[in-house]
Amino acid sequence: MPVYIALLRAVNVGGTGSLPMAELKAICEGLCFSDVKTFQSGNVLFRSDEAEKTVEERLDEALGRTMGKRPGVMVRTRKELDGIVADVPFPDAKPNFLLVYFLPEKAPGDALETMVAPDGEEAKLAGREIYVHYPNGSGRSKLKLPALKPGTSRNLNTVRKLADMAAAMEDGD
């Protein structure tokens, strides 16, 4: 049974709202996902025989019922996360200054053309992800990149940890 990693958008960051990770785990178990594990705020790993898009839709719908509004859920497989970690386009960037934006669908090829990067930020498209290197950190960045809006971001350290957790789950079979 495949391992999926679900990344929730706008949870515990002043967006859609607060969701205790124990409640997220219970919601996933209620959807009959198995081996559910949460990590930090808004990240959950589990197994399901259902297709990725089906899992994504069911979880987003269930969260919407609980939270009053769908937060947005991006689901990836272990293989996809491994590829994201392996293909980092800014190898010299500090991992906590490199964010991976997970998008609900592939960004258009011209998505970076409207980018305004006053602090020297760099971005690279990669399928349903956009890597952004913030040389001065993301906290005070004035980066403007509309293509990021529907997604959710995780720094490279978190993405690596999620990939490791997914690998441990799959390799434990």
Side-chain angles (χ1 to χ4, degrees):
M1 194 174 335
V3 172
Y4 290 114
I5 303 91
L7 305 121
L8 282 57
R9 183 175 177 271
V11 172
N12 285 342
V13 290
T16 302
S18 176
L19 179 69
M21 292 301 96
E23 189 172 349
L24 174 58
K25 182 176 182 180
I27 289 168
C28 289
E29 289 170 344
L31 294 170
C32 297
F33 301 156
S34 61
D35 296 332
V36 180
K37 294 174 179 36
T38 60
F39 178 70
Q40 294 181 345
S41 178
N43 304 301
V44 62
L45 299 91
F46 53 83
R47 294 177 186 277
S48 176
D49 279 329
E50 296 177 303
E52 182 178 314
K53 279 294 177 193
T54 302
V55 165
E56 190 174 87
E57 176 63 25
R58 288 184 63 221
L59 181 55
D60 199 31
E61 182 180 318
L63 289 167
R65 284 192 304 270
T66 300
M67 302 173 76
K69 178 182 176 187
R70 288 181 175 215
V73 176
M74 290 8 107
V75 172
R76 301 297 189 265
T77 63
R78 172 200 175 174
K79 184 178 176 183
E80 287 173 314
L81 274 192
D82 286 346
I84 290 164
V85 169
D87 296 338
V88 170
F90 308 110
D92 297 328
K94 293 179 187 174
N96 57 324
F97 283 40
L98 176 58
L99 297 186
V100 179
Y101 286 83
F102 295 86
L103 305 173
E105 55 192 42
K106 185 177 178 179
D110 64 354
L112 301 182
E113 290 179 15
T114 60
M115 183 169 89
V116 177
D119 295 319
E121 297 90 349
E122 304 171 274
K124 174 125 174 32
L125 288 177
R128 294 187 295 163
E129 286 75 39
I130 299 177
Y131 296 88
V132 179
H133 173 226
Y134 293 88
N136 301 319
S138 63
R140 290 189 207 92
S141 172
K142 303 290 186 218
L143 175 74
K144 290 185 176 68
L145 184 53
L148 302 177
K149 188 165 177 51
T152 187
S153 67
R154 303 295 185 271
N155 73 39
L156 186 57
N157 288 327
T158 299
V159 176
R160 285 177 174 156
K161 178 64 176 174
L162 291 168
D164 289 347
M165 289 175 70
M169 285 175 72
E170 280 194 358
D171 295 346
D173 287 347

